[in-house]
């Protein structure tokens, strides 16, 4: 199950999917064994079984899926195998979906290359999240992969995000410096950026610097971010947003009907998105 078997994801395919599904929803697959329905624990691979049922029930409502690798690494080899089965399942059965490994990597150049190979070549994700703290030579190895996206942390959703990202450097906040500097890097057209939904008041400033790039926006749902507020200043002519909700969707139910409950929550967000897209078309 490697690159050549699948149509490679690019920006245009993502935009077409948004238009067809009238959705810019990304569902976070953050599987915690203590939160999934107990009947699944009898399965050989409970994590994969949970993901499979969530994906099957919601793939028509979402354009992207984002497993956060921490939730797989925490279970050792079995967790990593479940992650591999999950990405393969999506690539084989729903190749139109945009897949995001939320791994927040980034290291010296040769190490970043190995991280990029792990997520882009071995696992065949469309994109991976990367931290900008180590600078250009830590990110460019990811950007070197054609038809793959590197999603750089810019302004994160957590409260402590502003501890550093909000610091003024030469009269502008560090997150703005990150955005501007990243645009100068080789293959910067392969970049997307993480901006938290809890920071909605920053979107208009951010769009002045990066009017065209896609933004991955976590923080709607469990963290209290508001979809309408984000869209007011974050949308661009191609939509340009992937709104993530993890716990708010995948743990909507915790019995045999969990996938239906997740579908219901995903549908609520998709319907809100459809209205927003129509209003902005
Ligand atoms: O700024 C950030 C960057 C990443 N995340 C991740 O997104 C999901 C959010 O999960 P919810 O359950 O919808 O709150 C999770 O994987 C985070 O690690 C983020 O929240 N904020």
């Amino acid at each position: 199950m490697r690159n050549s078997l699948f149509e490679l994801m690019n920006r245009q395919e993502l935009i077409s999917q948004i238009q067809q599904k009238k959705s810019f929803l990304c569902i976070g697959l953050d599987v915690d064994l203590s939160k999934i329905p107990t009947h699944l624990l009898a399965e050989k691979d409970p994590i994969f079984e949970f993901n499979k049922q969530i994906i099957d029930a919601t793939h028509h409502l979402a354009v992207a899926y984002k497993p956060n690798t921490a939730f797989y690494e925490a279970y050792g080899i079995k967790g990593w195998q479940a992650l591999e089965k999950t990405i393969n399942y999506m690539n084989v059965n729903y190749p139109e979906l945009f897949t995001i490994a939320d791994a927040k990597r980034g290291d010296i150049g040769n190490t970043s290359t190995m991280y990029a190979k792990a997520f882009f070549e071995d696992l065949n994700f469309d994109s991976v999240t990367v931290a900008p703290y180590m600078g250009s030579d830590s990110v460019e190895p990811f950007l070197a992969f054609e038809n793959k996206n590197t999603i750089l942390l810019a302004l994160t959703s957590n409260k402590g995000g502003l501890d550093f990202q909000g610091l003024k450097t030469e009269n502008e906040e560090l997150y703005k410096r990150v955005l501007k500097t990243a645009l100068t890097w080789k293959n910067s057209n392969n970049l997307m950026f993480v901006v938290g939904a809890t920071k909605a008041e920053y979107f208009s400033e951010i769009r002045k610097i990066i009017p065209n790039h896609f933004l991955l926006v976590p923080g709607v749902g469990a963290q209290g971010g508001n979809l309408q507020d984000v869209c007011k200043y974050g949308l661009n002519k191609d939509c340009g947003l992937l709104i993530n909700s993890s716990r708010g969707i995948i743990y909507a139910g915790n019995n045999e009907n969990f996938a239906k409950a997740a579908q219901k929550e995903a549908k609520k967000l998709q319907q809100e998105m459809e209205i927003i897209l129509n209003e902005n078309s």
Side-chain angles (χ1 to χ4, degrees):
M1 323 263 156
R2 293 295 176 264
N3 291 343
S4 56
L5 290 184
F6 303 107
E7 214 177 292
L8 291 169
M9 174 62 61
N10 63 29
R11 182 183 170 98
Q12 201 45 53
E13 286 169 342
L14 180 57
I15 296 167
S16 309
Q17 226 199 138
I18 291 171
Q19 289 166 347
Q20 279 165 25
K21 292 179 175 171
K22 298 187 187 321
S23 169
F24 42 104
L25 178 62
C26 172
I27 297 183
L29 299 172
D30 295 355
V31 187
D32 176 342
L33 286 178
S34 69
K35 287 196 180 142
I36 71 174
T38 48
H39 73 276
L40 290 178
L41 298 177
E43 297 285 337
K44 193 164 169 237
D45 187 341
I47 300 177
F48 174 66
E49 191 53 39
F50 179 78
N51 283 344
K52 181 178 170 305
Q53 291 195 41
I54 294 280
I55 295 161
D56 286 342
T58 57
H59 67 93
H60 57 298
L61 302 167
V63 296
Y65 285 80
K66 182 180 81 61
N68 187 317
T69 59
F71 289 84
Y72 300 83
E73 291 170 64
Y75 299 111
I77 180 81
K78 286 192 174 158
W80 202 256
Q81 282 166 346
L83 178 65
E84 186 177 40
K85 279 162 79 176
T86 301
I87 179 67
N88 287 346
Y89 185 76
M90 288 192 282
N91 281 338
V92 169
N93 295 284
Y94 308 108
E96 73 282 7
L97 294 172
F98 184 73
T99 55
I100 303 167
D102 191 358
K104 302 186 181 69
R105 297 302 205 262
D107 205 317
I108 61 167
N110 64 322
T111 308
S112 275
T113 298
M114 295 313 241
Y115 277 139
K117 279 172 182 270
F119 292 106
F120 293 152
E121 286 183 349
D122 183 56
L123 290 172
N124 197 22
F125 274 94
D126 294 312
S127 65
V128 62
T129 57
V130 170
Y133 199 71
M134 288 178 73
S136 58
D137 57 328
S138 74
V139 182
E140 282 178 341
F142 293 93
L143 293 173
F145 282 74
E146 263 179 54
N147 280 307
K148 298 287 182 182
N149 288 101
T150 300
I151 312 184
L152 201 66
L153 299 182
L155 188 59
T156 56
S157 65
N158 58 318
K159 189 160 154 275
L162 286 170
D163 289 352
F164 298 126
Q165 295 155 22
L167 284 181
K168 288 247 167 106
T169 61
E170 291 173 14
N171 235 9
E172 70 181 355
E173 293 90 342
L174 182 59
Y175 79 86
K176 287 187 183 167
R177 196 65 190 272
V178 166
L179 296 173
K180 289 179 186 172
T181 305
L183 292 180
T184 69
W185 293 340
K186 200 168 172 210
N187 298 322
S188 64
N189 51 318
N190 292 339
L191 279 169
M192 295 183 176
F193 296 93
V194 173
V195 181
T198 52
K199 305 286 193 311
E201 67 274 26
Y202 293 80
F203 274 77
S204 59
E205 283 295 297
I206 287 171
R207 276 300 185 207
K208 285 183 194 158
I209 303 169
I210 42 164
N212 298 321
H213 283 79
F214 262 84
L215 307 180
L216 170 64
V217 185
V220 163
Q223 295 178 54
N226 181 284
L227 177 65
Q228 304 287 340
D229 293 347
V230 169
C231 290
K232 195 164 171 197
Y233 298 110
L235 280 174
N236 67 18
K237 63 178 181 359
D238 293 325
C239 176
L241 296 175
L242 293 174
I243 305 282
N244 180 82
S245 174
S246 307
R247 287 166 292 178
I249 291 179
I250 67 174
Y251 300 127
N254 70 349
N255 58 23
E256 277 77 3
N257 292 327
F258 72 96
K260 271 271 166 233
Q263 184 184 69
K264 203 170 150 198
E265 284 309 305
K267 181 88 186 155
K268 274 191 214 159
L269 279 169
Q270 182 274 324
Q271 284 174 331
E272 264 193 80
M273 289 175 181
E274 182 166 350
I275 293 168
I276 292 168
L277 287 172
N278 286 339
E279 283 170 357
N280 287 276
S281 64

